[in-house]
Amino acid sequence: MARVTFREERCKGCELCTLVCPKGLITMSEHINSMGFHPATITDMDKCNGCALCARMCPDLVIEVERDEKKVV
Amino acid sequence: MARVTFREERCKGCELCTLVCPKGLITMSEHINSMGFHPATITDMDKCNGCALCARMCPDLVIEVERDEKKVV
Amino acid sequence: MKKVFTRPESFNDIPMHYCPGCTHGIIHRLVAETIDELNMVDRAIGVAPVGCSVFIYNYIDCDMYQASHGRAPAVATGVKRVVPDGVVFTYQGDGDMAAIGTAEIVHAAARGENITVIFVNNAVYAMTGGQMAPTTLMGQKTTTTPHGRESDANGYPVKMAEMLSTLDGSSYISRVSVHDPKNINKAKKSIKKAFEVQMENKGFTMVEVLSICPTNWGLSPKESVKWLDENMIPYYPLGEYKVPAEV
Amino acid sequence: MKKVFTRPESFNDIPMHYCPGCTHGIIHRLVAETIDELNMVDRAIGVAPVGCSVFIYNYIDCDMYQASHGRAPAVATGVKRVVPDGVVFTYQGDGDMAAIGTAEIVHAAARGENITVIFVNNAVYAMTGGQMAPTTLMGQKTTTTPHGRESDANGYPVKMAEMLSTLDGSSYISRVSVHDPKNINKAKKSIKKAFEVQMENKGFTMVEVLSICPTNWGLSPKESVKWLDENMIPYYPLGEYKVPAEV
Amino acid sequence: MRKKLSKVLMKGNEAIGEGAVRAGCRYFFGYPITPQSELPHYLAKRLPEENGVYLQSESETSAINMVYGAAGAGSRVMTSSSGPGISLMQEGISYIAGAELPCVIVNMMRGGPGLGNIAPAQSDYLQAVKGGGHGDYFVVCIAPASVQEIIDFMYDAFDIADKYFTPVMVLADGILGQMMEPVEFKENQEMELPEKPWAANGKRGRESKNIINSLYIVPEDLEEHNFKLKDKYSIIEEKEQRWEEYYTEDAELVLTAFGTSARVCKAVVDKARQEGLAVGLIRPIMVWPFPQKAFDKVIHSAKQFLTVEMNTGQMVEDVKLAVAGRRPVYFTGRPGGMLPIANDIFEEVKKLMSGGAE
Amino acid sequence: MRKKLSKVLMKGNEAIGEGAVRAGCRYFFGYPITPQSELPHYLAKRLPEENGVYLQSESETSAINMVYGAAGAGSRVMTSSSGPGISLMQEGISYIAGAELPCVIVNMMRGGPGLGNIAPAQSDYLQAVKGGGHGDYFVVCIAPASVQEIIDFMYDAFDIADKYFTPVMVLADGILGQMMEPVEFKENQEMELPEKPWAANGKRGRESKNIINSLYIVPEDLEEHNFKLKDKYSIIEEKEQRWEEYYTEDAELVLTAFGTSARVCKAVVDKARQEGLAVGLIRPIMVWPFPQKAFDKVIHSAKQFLTVEMNTGQMVEDVKLAVAGRRPVYFTGRPGGMLPIANDIFEEVKKLMSGGAE
Amino acid sequence: MFQGILIAGFGGQGVLSTGQLLAYAGMLEDKHVAWIPSYGPEMRGGTANCGVTISDIPISSPVVTEPTVLIAMNRPSLEKFEPKIVQDGIALINSSLVDTEVQRDDIKSVYINANELAEEIGNSKIANNIILGALVEMTGVVSGESVVESLKKVLPPKRHNLIDINREALEKGKKLAEEARVKTAM
Amino acid sequence: MFQGILIAGFGGQGVLSTGQLLAYAGMLEDKHVAWIPSYGPEMRGGTANCGVTISDIPISSPVVTEPTVLIAMNRPSLEKFEPKIVQDGIALINSSLVDTEVQRDDIKSVYINANELAEEIGNSKIANNIILGALVEMTGVVSGESVVESLKKVLPPKRHNLIDINREALEKGKKLAEEARVKTAM
Ligand SMILES: Cc1ncc(C[n+]2csc(CCOP(=O)(O)OP(=O)(O)O)c2C)c(N)n1
Ligand SMILES: Cc1ncc(C[n+]2csc(CCOP(=O)(O)OP(=O)(O)O)c2C)c(N)n1
Ligand code: SF4
Ligand code: SF4
Ligand code: SF4
Ligand code: SF4
């Protein structure tokens, strides 16, 4: 079990995270944030395996990832 | 037959020419020139083969070398 | 649940001024992660360049200098000579380091100055509006090469990692990229190694990091990472160019 | 009888200001001989450095510039861009070119600027009183390395020929010496080749010439040529480092 | 050349570029810096159209030395930068002045000292007019105040450079570079550029070689050279003072300002005149040579002077020197990229005119 | 430390080195140039004896930036050069002033402009005191006139730098560097160097990090910083004026000169007094801040001023500003490495005193 | 006639080019015009603004420190510049990105949710021109035709296909201004 | 007592160190002294000169523009500086390298073929000190003992073996000056 959280107001809508999620879980929201960007969001949290590739790719530290202890490799 | 001429007033007495003359013909004069240096001179012009190594080595173009036409290689 | 990814401790929690997708942010983070892991935030002293990354002094939580354009290696030298047990690094762009700062970087390397240089190569002068950099690729269009870089007028791109490797004073030199997570991991390892070599007083260390500039490349961030992969890496091969004997 | 050695036509008949035995004089002469042989005194434009050889502008009978310290390659670039059919050369010492002028020489080479650089490496700053140069050998005593050059304080000598050869814009790069007639002949050939490559617009050319400085080495001229042979050549190997395809 | 347009909306930076090209400049060497980047962008496109050369140097130090080479070779040549970059050129400018070469240097001023910021300022006045480099020399220094003036003055800049064998600086605050105004171009005459027999561009049959040089190793020779330069500067000081007078005939309070500050001051004068206050403006167009004559001319009616600058007080020294203690000279300024505000200056003016100063 | 010597014959350049070491300076970064080379030679030997660092940089540009780093790290640090090299440092000096770092910069002046020559001159006065770099800033500027003064003033230079967070320049003509005079050293007290909690030398438990910086991207912030600097400069101008008066009490003609020119002028004053002429000398010891107070003090008796410099007229502007039109100010100078000759000046003095000027 | 117009927002919102368009239109009508930009160090996302002066007589000072009209494209711009507007001046607010209201009551304020309207019309990039349409309607500083004419000069030929949609945006703004009935007499 | 002494010659002739020796001797006698060198860009062979001021009272100007004594070690030096010597001043000429004569008759001139004499004594490097010996004898500006004392301070210990030969040179110069009977009263 894993959880990704997006700090929406920091997202600049660059879409790099969408590029690297191996499961294609991340999409851009319809709405805009206070900076005028469409922020990234995760569609199906259940499918997330907590690989954190999205977070590592995000230049703006928008994404935090948590994962079940046992799954840690 | 060859002739070396030293332009004495230009000689700085560095002795580099003496180092390279294959026949050891060049020595330094006793007297000093107007710049206060002991100028180089040739002891035995007859032995000179006009190789011009001294002239090529001299940093101050003190030496001119002439040689019999026929000896030109 | 356990956090598997979160902000490094030595990375201040403030928004960064970079354009959307700009990988300067990733590279900053890798430096901060290294500072955390080597437990050296108290000894680390950073020198910021003039360029888009000038404000790195606000983002990383160690003592910092803002250096004049290109002179970060000289500033770092001054610092390191006064604080020999400090872990001193510069962070410089390709205009800053490979153009105006050429003499300073060459001689910091020649002196074997015990500093670490993070050299961000994005193939343009970004902050000033996308002019040609020494690292701009042949044919690349910039605001000062409107028809693409041509060798007659502008010569050839400079390969800093290769050039600095010829100097006896340089100790660890590598080139990495941050255009995908795999390369980000490698970049991280290399940056860490560079700092470790510095901490063992083995001489000058530099990591060249290929980075994107969507704004001045006129591409989206997604297109940019692809462009980097397809165009920059062939000209700027990744890898370790110089490694000290026993590291 | 026929003159087998006399002053080159393009070499002015005035006494030179150099110290006894200083090989700057020989190198000047080789440049003048080349100008004569390539019949280009009317197209040749020289740029003098700041250093002992600053007065070369008085000695060689072509148009000349006196450049600010280290910037001769930039001055030469300005000239060459305005006078593309000129044969433009700089004459620079190791302080001038390998220290303060590092950025200028690297980027003239990177640009593939069609100029010829005669780089006189005498392992010291001579004109200012024998201070350490970037090219000073390890252990060599100078007025600013009273106990000999040490790597901790001063790093390692810079090998310019090797470094500039890594740049794509450089075309012909060699290192020669003038400490005996055999090497003088080779030096002459190399200088001539460099000019020829320039005249064919093949890019940046440089000949590094090892030279003696008896005054600041504290040796007689005779001892100096020996010292060069035994100490400099092992560290600075002679030879052609880069040659364009069909020359 | 491009076809003549009746009126074009143009950025100041681009106007410098176009003005230079029209004045016969075919060579530009420079290094990017805000707020002048549009100038290199413009010339990178424009110069090749005229078979000219745009070359981006590796630094400002290098740029000014390329200019030295290109000027020595006889071309009309220009470089451009802002504060930090201009500082890096000081050695080179000193060499150019010493070797008496003509060229044009643009300083699009920003906030300082140090990295400062990229906002418009007039912080480099003293550097420009007092000789920021070493040695006894001056640089002719033109300060335009509108985009149209930029176009017009570029001709003068190159002509004066050639006439007096001297570097000419175009000293503008960043606003001028960034702003757009409509400009008109003169009919494009064929330029007659002066012959330069002294240029070192290859002997090509010339009797004797040409040498471009600033080294005079014998003190007697350098002294002679210094005095020769000084004489030249005296002639320039006599002949090339230039200024604009704006309602000065009867002005009791004379504002002095250049560039954008002067534009703001004009608004102040307008306002003052509307309210019946005898306020005028001397706007130096040349800041070196400084328009001493303008001050001598107004001194009969002027009771006091107020200098307005975008800095903490630099030109005010020259105003004091020009006024030479005859009247009080006051100063007000906004440094750091801030702009003087017409209303604030007007308040200051009213205070001064009611005798309330200091 | 070396054992105390009662009197030592020392070159000025070496005295700068020894004076600096005694003032607690442990770091020197510099690039060779005539006529100051004996200073690096001396320190290359001397600093390692004190566990200090002598580092020869690849250029003056680099040297001043190393100074920036070392000063920011809290050390007492110095660099040194002459004309061309000082020009190359202007950007760096502006950064140091902007970041408010203390350091000492020596300019051993030679002939200019350009490469000029290596003979002694006072050709960089305006550059030194008017801000040769970009932006609104000043550099405190001390002008010694003897080798003993060099030793004494080095303490002051470093103290003032630390006290006001400012670069201090030692402005000397080449003669001072080259000449030898006997000097006495003060007893070697243990120096108490000031704490520098602002230094960026690693946090080491400090609550918050230190940043050395001159960038203020928001114009409002830079304006505030500029005004803060201006306030500091006003305090320095008020508190740190320094000069020597030589027979000025009743002087009708007041000579003004600094450094070696002042030494020559003293001989002129001696001669004039011997002949009964009321001639005196104001010798600015600080040339920035300029000793305005000295001029206000002598204005009651002074009928005219004569400024003597080894250039074509630079400090004379500051004399004019100080005199502010109250009396005529004349100038005489020898540029290019030539020395003013006491007899010549004396002739000038006699002419002026008999009303024969200009 | 004298207008000093300040257009302020994020970098990348196109405030600078909108100002240029306006200045160009003024020039076409043979008015005196000046355009002055101001922006931060960020290439994207920072603040940016420009001042446009349009006048019947020569412009003394081209610097707009006291705007007669403010276009605020985001919240920080409104906060920063609202106090500087002249009495009886105009504030045009992009309410898509500004969720606060004007505090002063001595100026006229119009709120336009330009981003949403632009997307409705079919191109998010024309938000500025909706507001520009309102400005033209309210001030009469230039005619709507001149703005369209300028578009033709400013846009490169290959993008002339965008002219129609821009015209639509200007019309939309004009209509909104009429509706708001805050036309200034001038 | 005031002497402004100018010592001039080629670089490499040791004129600078001779001047230093003299200044040092003055300092040992607690006089006020100053030494100022001047040289060209050449490391060897160019012109070089130095001025030495020795005085009982503090030295106003240390610059020797009008020497009381000139030592001319080569011909250009004599030509350049002869006109500057004060009236009744002294010119000491190294006639080994100067083949011209002094033109002025308002100064005292002494010719010493110092190079030859030095080689006679056995070391060509002591030529200067022969002339220095004459100067000391003629002016009394310092005592001969002080000069020898200075030598001990100036020479590094390992070269103290040279002191004797230098003393001999000074003596030689003194004798020559006596012979020339041109001792100035002072
Ligand atoms: C002396 C000087 N010259 C020029 C500039 C202007 N300038 C600021 S950043 C920059 C280049 C930045 O390019 P780069 O180093 O590649 O960094 P990037 O912005 O691409 O990250 C330049 C030329 C300056 N501030 N100072
Ligand atoms: C900007 C500047 N810095 C320093 C100097 C002083 N300077 C003159 S020549 C020189 C070094 C010369 O050494 P090198 O280039 O090796 O030539 P060499 O004299 O050995 O032939 C220096 C540092 C100068 N003239 N200008
Ligand atoms: S953690 Fe991995 S799987 Fe989950 S959203 Fe991020 S990239 Fe996708
Ligand atoms: S990578 Fe970061 S900034 Fe970019 S879209 Fe994803 S969350 Fe947003
Ligand atoms: S301009 Fe380029 S390098 Fe600079 S912040 Fe934007 S994307 Fe990054
Ligand atoms: S100092 Fe050295 S390099 Fe210079 S002229 Fe003398 S021997 Fe030659």
Side-chain angles (χ1 to χ4, degrees), chain D residues 49-161:
Chain D
V50 181
C52 277
S53 52
V54 60
F55 292 116
I56 189 174
Y57 62 72
N58 285 327
Y59 304 140
I60 298 196
D61 196 31
C62 63
D63 277 5
M64 294 289 291
Y65 291 72
Q66 194 289 304
S68 61
H69 192 33
R71 321 302 176 189
V75 172
T77 298
V79 176
K80 185 77 179 193
R81 297 292 174 134
V82 175
V83 192
D85 70 339
V87 183
V88 179
F89 67 97
T90 72
Y91 185 106
Q92 305 180 254
D94 43 14
D96 194 77
M97 193 187 101
I100 192 169
T102 306
E104 285 72 17
I105 195 69
V106 165
H107 286 279
R111 275 194 308 273
E113 208 69 49
N114 263 306
I115 59 172
T116 298
V117 173
I118 309 296
F119 167 45
V120 179
N121 178 355
N122 61 9
V124 283
Y125 289 56
M127 185 185 227
T128 42
Q131 295 85 3
M132 181 189 80
T135 49
T136 293
L137 297 178
M138 296 315 297
Q140 188 182 338
K141 282 190 189 175
T142 70
T143 46
T144 52
T145 53
H147 310 297
R149 181 177 187 157
E150 293 158 336
S151 64
D152 275 7
N154 307 307
Y156 302 86
V158 174
K159 299 176 180 175
M160 290 305 286

Side-chain angles (χ1 to χ4, degrees), chain C residues 60-166:
Chain C
I60 297 196
D61 195 32
C62 63
D63 278 6
M64 294 289 292
Y65 291 72
Q66 195 289 304
S68 61
H69 192 33
R71 321 302 176 188
V75 172
T77 298
V79 176
K80 185 75 178 195
R81 297 289 173 136
V82 175
V83 192
D85 71 339
V87 182
V88 179
F89 67 97
T90 72
Y91 185 106
Q92 306 179 252
D94 42 15
D96 194 78
M97 193 188 102
I100 192 169
T102 306
E104 285 72 18
I105 196 69
V106 164
H107 287 279
R111 275 194 308 273
E113 208 69 49
N114 262 304
I115 59 172
T116 299
V117 172
I118 310 296
F119 167 45
V120 179
N121 178 353
N122 61 11
V124 284
Y125 290 54
M127 187 186 223
T128 41
Q131 295 85 4
M132 182 190 79
T135 50
T136 294
L137 298 178
M138 296 317 296
Q140 188 182 336
K141 284 190 187 173
T142 69
T143 46
T144 51
T145 52
H147 310 297
R149 181 177 187 155
E150 292 159 334
S151 64
D152 275 7
N154 307 304
Y156 300 87
V158 174
K159 298 176 180 176
M160 290 305 287
E162 286 84 337
M163 190 175 93
L164 296 180
S165 294
T166 66

Side-chain angles (χ1 to χ4, degrees), chain E residues 87 94 112-117 124 127 130 132 134-136 214-216 219 223 226 230 311-312 314 317 324-325 334 336, chain F residues 87 94 112-117 124 127 130 132 134-136 214-216 219 223 226 230 311-312 314 317 324-325 334 336:
Chain E
S87 288
S94 176
L115 189 48
N117 64 25
D124 307 339
Q127 183 193 49
K130 302 294 176 194
H134 62 285
D136 274 298
S214 68
L215 170 62
Y216 294 81
E223 180 176 51
N226 283 142
K230 176 154 182 149
N311 58 42
T312 64
Q314 301 194 16
E317 281 204 1
R334 300 292 303 263
Chain F
S87 288
S94 176
L115 189 49
N117 65 23
D124 308 338
Q127 181 192 51
K130 301 294 178 196
H134 62 285
D136 275 298
S214 67
L215 170 61
Y216 295 81
E223 179 175 53
N226 283 142
K230 174 151 185 157
N311 58 42
T312 63
Q314 301 196 14
E317 281 205 1
R334 300 291 304 263

Side-chain angles (χ1 to χ4, degrees), chain E residues 7-72:
Chain E
K7 241 184 188 178
V8 195
L9 192 65
M10 223 181 190
K11 273 206 170 194
N13 281 330
E14 292 171 351
I16 294 176
E18 186 57 32
V21 169
R22 284 169 186 250
C25 171
R26 291 293 175 275
Y27 298 90
F28 180 92
F29 302 92
Y31 188 80
I33 191 168
T34 311
Q36 60 82 60
S37 293
E38 296 85 355
L39 169 53
H41 298 177
Y42 187 85
L43 288 178
K45 279 215 192 72
R46 187 76 177 85
L47 278 172
E49 294 173 12
E50 304 286 342
N51 288 319
V53 172
Y54 165 87
L55 185 67
Q56 190 173 296
S57 59
E58 62 274 18
S59 71
E60 294 86 353
T61 311
S62 181
I64 194 72
N65 284 285
M66 291 174 179
V67 167
Y68 179 91

